[in-house]
């Protein structure tokens, strides 16, 4: 987050009051609705931030992107080398939210039905019974997604975009909240990987890299061990209420124009073959709203857009042949430097 946002976050006191009670997992009567304010969302973000930071060592700005992605109802792609905590991040998030967690290990022989489920013939009743796959969970970890074949990768497209799966012509909704966290190994030096096509990449609201921990963080990791204890600080009902509050954060017409100007600049950049799409603008705005809410604000600032532009836009831009390996990141940096907020 920006320096101003970070300062405001640190200035907030320890969460108390209504959210302190609501954030503890508790049974909610069917149909009951929980209304949260932006302040409640910011307090929830602080609780999740502290919980996750105690189990997974990562830069603070990366953790902020993770939280914004979750509050914006998005999916997350984590690109990094094995062993830096990608799987632990997904497990910790699921435990923090007290939600159902499932893990899919992508391999070359994994089939779409292994992910979404299938109709199984029951001889005793002479009928087909649907057996849901692991995608029916609140937090779904797809480990090493680029080891799965393109056919299997495509099995996630409908689930991630429409929050449903279709089996034998029948659509089955996935209960919310629904978050996919996929991990991806670098393609260079790793045999048997299949790069994600643009349509699959577009399903992920943000792409982040955890990187290696600092020496101090690694010392702390060695002291705590590989599986630190994580307790729940929220529940699925609370997360859904927070997501609804985030979606209502105000964005002025001037802010919307700024987002459009950024998108347009990526499309005419000399290093871009295909710039950011209108969907990229919708997701960037959703992420900016979440960043504003995490900072306790009911309105979006250009700082929020700039903070989220890199993880949201970079993987959606297709560079031209003249661009180098870092052309996508260079394009985003260029447009952020040249396009001014009105």
């Amino acid at each position: 987050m920006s320096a101003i946002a970070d300062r405001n976050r640190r200035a907030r006191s320890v969460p108390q009051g209504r959210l302190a009670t609501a954030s503890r997992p508790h049974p909610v009567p069917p149909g009951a609705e929980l209304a949260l304010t932006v302040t409640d969302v910011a307090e929830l973000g602080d609780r999740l931030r502290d919980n996750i930071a105690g189990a997974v060592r990562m830069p603070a700005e990366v953790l902020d992107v993770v939280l914004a992605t979750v509050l914006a109802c998005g999916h997350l792609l984590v690109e990094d080398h094995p062993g830096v905590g990608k799987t632990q991040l997904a497990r910790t998030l699921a435990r923090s939210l007290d939600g159902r967690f499932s893990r899919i290990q992508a391999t070359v022989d994994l089939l779409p039905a292994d992910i979404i489920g299938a109709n199984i013939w029951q001889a005793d009743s002479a009928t087909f019974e649907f057996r849901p796959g692991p995608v029916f969970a609140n937090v779904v970890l797809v480990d090493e997604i680029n080891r799965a074949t393109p056919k299997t990768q495509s099995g996630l497209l409908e689930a991630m975009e429409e929050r449903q799966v279709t089996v034998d012509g029948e659509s089955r909704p996935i209960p919310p909240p629904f978050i996919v966290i996929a991990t991806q190994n670098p393609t260079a030096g790793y045999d048997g990987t299949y790069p994600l096509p643009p349509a699959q990449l577009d399903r992920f609201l943000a792409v982040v890299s955890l990187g290696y921990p600092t020496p101090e963080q690694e010392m702390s990791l060695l002291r705590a061990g590989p599986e630190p204890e994580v307790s729940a600080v929220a529940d699925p009902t609370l997360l859904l209420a927070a997501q609804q509050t985030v979606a209502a954060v105000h964005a002025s017409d001037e802010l919307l124009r700024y987002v459009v100007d950024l998108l347009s600049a990526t499309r005419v950049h000399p290093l871009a073959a295909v710039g950011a799409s209108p969907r990229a603008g919708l997701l960037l705005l959703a992420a900016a709203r979440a960043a504003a809410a995490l900072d306790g604000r009911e309105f979006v600032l250009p700082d929020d857009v700039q903070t989220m532009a890199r993880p949201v836009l970079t993987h959606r831009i297709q560079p031209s042949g003249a661009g180098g390996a870092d052309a996508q990141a260079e394009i985003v940096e260029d447009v952020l430097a040249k396009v001014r907020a009105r």
Side-chain angles (χ1 to χ4, degrees):
M1 304 292 286
S2 65
I4 295 176
D6 186 58
R7 184 169 65 251
N8 289 344
R9 179 179 63 79
R10 291 197 301 267
R12 285 195 296 268
S13 60
V14 177
Q16 298 177 355
R18 178 161 58 92
L19 182 59
T21 302
S23 62
R24 291 194 295 269
H26 60 281
V28 178
E33 295 183 358
L34 181 63
L36 299 182
T37 66
V38 169
T39 301
D40 294 332
V41 175
E43 292 175 353
L44 172 61
D46 284 342
R47 289 172 177 270
L48 290 172
R49 184 181 289 104
D50 293 341
N51 223 37
I52 296 173
V56 185
R57 276 64 184 181
M58 71 178 81
E61 60 271 16
V62 174
L63 180 52
D64 286 335
V65 172
V66 172
L67 296 178
T69 300
V70 171
L71 291 173
C73 305
H75 306 296
L76 183 72
L77 178 61
V78 185
E79 294 181 320
D80 221 320
H81 297 281
V84 296
K86 302 187 297 292
T87 302
Q88 183 65 23
L89 170 61
R91 292 185 184 277
T92 302
L93 178 62
R95 291 170 182 169
S96 299
L97 296 173
D98 198 32
R100 182 184 175 192
F101 173 77
S102 68
R103 181 180 182 274
I104 302 169
Q105 178 60 56
T107 57
V108 69
D109 58 347
L110 188 72
L111 298 175
D114 297 327
I115 297 175
I116 65 176
N119 286 318
I120 307 299
W121 176 255
Q122 302 297 317
D124 53 347
S125 60
T127 59
F128 282 97
E129 178 182 327
F130 179 70
R131 298 287 178 87
V135 77
F136 285 85
N138 298 126
V139 179
V140 179
L141 169 64
V142 185
D143 212 0
E144 298 182 305
I145 188 173
N146 57 336
R147 290 198 180 277
T149 62
K151 178 180 180 180
T152 302
Q153 292 176 11
S154 67
L156 285 168
L157 291 177
E158 181 185 16
M160 294 175 66
E161 179 64 21
E162 302 179 29
R163 268 66 174 181
Q164 67 175 27
V165 299
T166 302
V167 178
D168 295 339
E170 183 177 355
S171 297
R172 301 177 183 274
I174 300 175
F178 173 59
I179 304 161
V180 173
I181 300 180
T183 70
Q184 177 172 258
N185 292 330
T187 54
Y190 290 85
D191 296 330
T193 57
Y194 302 86
L196 299 181
Q200 180 69 65
L201 282 172
D202 200 41
R203 264 50 177 189
F204 293 99
L205 184 146
V207 176
V208 298
S209 176
L210 302 184
Y212 290 110
T214 64
E216 292 75 16
Q217 290 175 331
E218 203 155 6
M219 285 286 292
S220 177
L221 175 64
L222 292 175
R223 293 190 191 99
E227 288 288 341
E229 189 69 25
V230 176
S231 59
V233 296
D235 59 28
T237 300
L238 181 64
L239 176 59
L240 286 174
Q243 290 174 338
Q244 292 173 355
T245 301
V246 166
V249 170
H250 175 69
S252 66
D253 285 345
E254 291 79 6
L255 191 285
L256 299 181
R257 173 56 62 182
Y258 178 54
V259 172
V260 171
D261 289 345
L262 288 175
L263 301 179
S264 300
T266 66
R267 298 165 191 165
V268 298
H269 195 282
L271 295 181
V274 179
S277 67
R279 178 189 291 171
L282 291 171
L283 295 178
L284 177 57
L285 180 59
R289 282 189 165 114
L294 285 169
D295 196 34
R297 282 182 282 106
E298 297 180 351
F299 53 90
V300 184
L301 294 176
D303 278 357
D304 302 316
V305 176
Q306 294 165 6
T307 298
M308 299 305 302
R310 296 168 181 85
V312 173
L313 296 183
T314 302
H315 64 288
R316 293 185 159 83
I317 298 173
Q318 299 179 41
S320 64
D326 298 326
Q328 294 166 297
E330 183 179 345
I331 292 169
V332 175
E333 293 297 335
D334 283 350
V335 300
L336 287 175
K338 295 176 181 178
V339 177
R340 300 300 179 186
R342 303 189 181 189

